[in-house]
């Protein structure tokens, strides 16, 4: 089992990102990851789990998510239902306590990776409501008067798409890293981890078109890394002559997803 995070066969991380992950682990602080969509924020947690040989627990945050959801839920409805039908053990409240993702991470016998994904989707109070639990690595279950303490402090990775500003008190407790969009050199390395045998000419021409599109000022949704990877696979399957990629834009719908962006791309590429 590795002691420090390194790039994996499926995830290529920059030296700066690798350093940030390992510093967060060493300091035992949550790692807050930001970056534009498609830069591999969510995949990072999976790569860390794979690199370190640890279990990954994912807490997908939604607009309706409350901090309490990650701790535990008391299933009063099931208890009432069991009581009506004479089930045994109704008086044992512990039977009706279901741990959330944070509770699962605290209760695991081994250290796990906990991904709190897209924290900025929840309301503004959500991060503040987690401050105590993330600091103290414990929470209290009122119904059973029981304190759940982390057996092994999980490695916490938090992603944000910067849809909302996060509270200063929360930010102070995190190690922060912004994933820059890969330059061509790093992007080639990323693509080749997925397609080691990709033809040099196909990769070069596809990347040239890809970065030209990203540089177009009026393109609203910039194509992402994952979309480039999908597009290269489509070009391989379609057997498109590499010299025609820029002129014909085959399967362009794989990387351009808006009508107005498509019109802009076709106009600029024909110049």
């Amino acid at each position: 089992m590795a002691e420090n995070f390194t790039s994996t066969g499926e995830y290529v991380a920059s030296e700066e990102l690798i350093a940030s992950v390992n510093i967060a682990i060493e300091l035992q602080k949550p790692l807050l990851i930001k970056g534009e969509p498609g830069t591999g924020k969510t995949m990072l947690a999976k790569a860390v789990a794979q690199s370190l040989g640890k279990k990954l627990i994912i807490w997908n945050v939604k607009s309706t998510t409350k901090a309490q959801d990650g701790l535990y839920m008391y299933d009063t409805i099931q208890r009432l239902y069991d009581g009506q039908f004479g089930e045994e053990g109704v008086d044992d409240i512990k039977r009706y306590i279901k741990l959330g993702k944070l509770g699962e991470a605290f209760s695991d016998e081994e250290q796990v990776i906990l991904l709190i994904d897209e924290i900025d989707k929840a309301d503004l109070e959500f991060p503040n409501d987690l401050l105590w639990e993330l600091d103290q690595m414990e929470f209290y279950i009122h119904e059973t008067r029981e304190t759940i303490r982390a057996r092994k402090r999980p490695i916490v990775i938090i992603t944000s798409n910067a849809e909302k500003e996060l509270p200063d008190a929360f930010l102070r407790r995190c190690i922060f890293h912004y994933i820059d969009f890969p330059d061509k050199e790093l992007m080639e390395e990323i693509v080749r981890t997925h397609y080691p045998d990709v033809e040099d000419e196909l990769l070069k021409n596809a990347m040239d078109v890809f970065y030209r599109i990203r540089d177009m000022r009026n393109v609203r949704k910039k194509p992402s890394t994952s979309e480039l990877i999908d597009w290269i696979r489509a070009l391989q399957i379609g057997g498109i002559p590499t010299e025609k990629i820029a002129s014909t834009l085959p399967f362009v719908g794989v990387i351009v997803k808006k009508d107005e962006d498509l019109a802009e791309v076709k106009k600029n590429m024909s110049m």
Side-chain angles (χ1 to χ4, degrees):
M1 184 181 298
E3 295 182 359
N4 294 308
F5 167 63
T6 59
S7 294
T8 69
E10 298 178 357
Y11 189 93
V12 178
S14 67
E15 292 183 6
E16 293 82 5
L17 178 55
I18 291 172
S20 293
V21 172
N22 289 322
I23 287 295
I25 294 172
E26 186 66 27
L27 296 180
Q28 297 187 337
K29 289 182 175 292
L31 175 63
L32 175 61
I33 297 291
K34 289 187 179 182
E36 67 175 82
T39 49
K41 298 186 297 297
T42 300
M43 290 299 296
L44 170 65
K46 298 177 182 179
V48 173
Q50 180 183 350
S51 174
L52 301 182
K54 296 182 182 296
K55 177 182 175 182
L56 173 64
I57 295 177
I58 301 176
W59 183 5
N60 291 304
V61 177
K62 302 177 182 179
S63 60
T64 56
T65 301
K66 304 297 181 185
Q68 179 65 35
D69 300 337
L71 306 181
Y72 73 94
M73 182 191 73
Y74 173 36
D75 195 345
T76 55
I77 302 299
Q78 185 62 49
R79 189 183 182 200
L80 178 63
Y81 180 85
D82 289 348
Q84 289 176 338
F85 287 88
E87 291 287 336
E88 293 184 3
V90 174
D91 292 336
D92 183 6
I93 296 180
K94 282 188 176 182
R95 289 183 56 190
Y96 302 97
I97 298 295
K98 182 179 180 181
L99 294 178
K101 297 299 184 180
L102 198 61
E104 288 180 24
F106 285 5
S107 301
D108 204 289
E109 296 285 350
E110 302 295 332
Q111 185 182 50
V112 303
I113 310 297
L114 173 64
L115 169 63
I116 304 177
D117 202 23
E118 299 189 330
I119 193 171
D120 53 323
K121 279 189 174 180
D123 63 40
L124 293 175
E125 292 305 314
F126 179 84
N128 281 335
D129 290 344
L130 285 178
L131 287 179
W132 169 265
E133 287 77 15
L134 292 178
D135 269 352
Q136 303 299 318
M137 287 287 148
E138 66 178 40
F139 62 90
Y140 185 70
I141 299 179
H142 297 276
E143 289 79 3
T144 60
R145 299 179 181 178
E146 177 185 13
T147 297
I148 303 296
R149 294 186 178 88
R151 299 182 181 184
K152 297 284 181 69
R153 176 181 285 267
I155 297 169
V156 181
I157 297 175
I158 303 168
T159 69
S160 170
N161 286 324
E163 293 181 7
K164 299 188 186 81
E165 284 296 324
L166 299 174
D168 288 347
F170 181 80
L171 294 175
R172 282 195 295 270
R173 288 162 170 81
C174 297
I175 303 298
F176 172 73
H177 184 89
Y178 187 91
I179 299 181
D180 291 316
F181 197 83
D183 59 19
K184 286 188 176 182
E185 183 179 352
L186 181 58
M187 184 65 81
E188 179 174 347
E189 189 176 350
I190 291 171
V191 172
R192 289 192 184 278
T193 63
H194 293 270
Y195 309 123
D197 299 326
V198 62
E199 295 178 14
D200 292 344
E201 196 65 22
L202 185 151
L203 178 58
K204 177 184 179 303
N205 289 357
M207 284 180 50
D208 284 347
V209 172
F210 174 80
Y211 278 97
R212 282 180 63 184
I213 293 173
R214 282 190 56 85
D215 287 341
M216 292 177 189
R217 183 179 302 175
N218 294 326
V219 170
R220 293 172 56 193
K221 183 194 175 301
K222 307 291 185 183
S224 68
T225 302
S226 60
E227 288 166 328
L228 172 62
I229 291 170
D230 289 342
W231 191 42
I232 288 174
R233 181 57 182 153
L235 295 172
Q236 288 178 318
I237 294 171
I240 305 300
T242 56
E243 68 275 7
K244 292 186 177 182
I245 292 175
S247 60
T248 63
L249 297 175
F251 315 118
V252 69
V254 178
I255 54 173
V256 181
K257 307 295 177 66
K258 291 180 177 290
D259 294 343
E260 56 269 37
D261 287 348
L262 183 59
E264 185 71 17
V265 167
K266 288 183 176 179
K267 180 182 74 174
N268 280 275
M269 294 299 292
S270 63
M271 292 179 179

